Amino acid sequence: MMSAIKAKDTKPEQFVRRYLHSAGLRFRLHDRGLPGTPDLVLPKYRAAVFVNGCFWHRHPDCRYATTPATRPDFWASKFDLTVARDHAKSAALRKTGWCVLTIWECEAHDELALDRLFWQVVSGP
């Protein structure tokens, strides 16, 4: 079952990409030259965008960030490691001068959230 979970080109990521492209922004996908391999990299604005899944990356106060009832200790440690890795990736990018932005899976369909993301990118840090 876990093999069906994609890391790239997910539906939320495609929504974000489609919106930003239609708004006139151009970006690179999954730039492996940057720490953490951001989902979208906008070099003109020196911005890196992560499109995070609410379940795996533990979106605070989100109805999709549930914890499975079986093996709660396993899941708690797995989620803690993921969140710690996210913070480390963001810190490494900020240290090199990049503006790090995150949009959550549940926000990818919300046009207001996408508008906010657009303005955060073009206005800079």
Side-chain angles (χ1 to χ4, degrees):
M1 178 127 168
M2 293 294 284
S3 64
I5 298 171
K6 299 185 333 180
K8 295 180 182 177
D9 302 325
T10 61
K11 289 282 186 193
E13 187 180 321
Q14 289 175 359
F15 278 114
V16 173
R17 288 176 4 196
R18 206 172 295 131
Y19 179 86
L20 292 179
H21 191 271
S22 69
L25 297 179
R26 299 301 177 252
F27 45 82
R28 283 189 242 145
L29 299 176
H30 314 289
D31 189 347
R32 300 183 105 201
L34 292 175
T37 313
D39 296 316
L40 304 170
V41 177
L42 297 104
K44 178 179 178 180
Y45 301 100
R46 205 141 167 84
V49 178
F50 289 97
V51 182
N52 285 349
C54 297
F55 176 77
W56 292 108
H57 298 269
R58 310 313 292 165
H59 186 196
D61 301 323
C62 179
R63 66 186 178 123
Y64 299 117
T66 60
T67 303
T70 59
R71 300 173 54 198
D73 295 336
F74 165 80
W75 287 106
S77 68
K78 189 169 190 65
F79 293 143
D80 290 343
L81 287 173
T82 302
V83 171
R85 188 173 52 245
D86 289 344
H87 289 301
K89 290 189 301 188
S90 296
L93 280 166
R94 284 190 184 99
K95 189 175 182 181
T96 57
W98 287 85
C99 175
V100 179
L101 304 167
T102 301
I103 187 159
W104 294 95
E105 172 186 16
C106 63
E107 298 172 333
H109 303 285
D110 181 11
E111 196 155 337
L112 289 176
L114 293 171
D115 283 341
R116 247 188 334 269
L117 176 67
F118 171 82
W119 287 110
Q120 287 174 330
V121 167
V122 297
S123 66

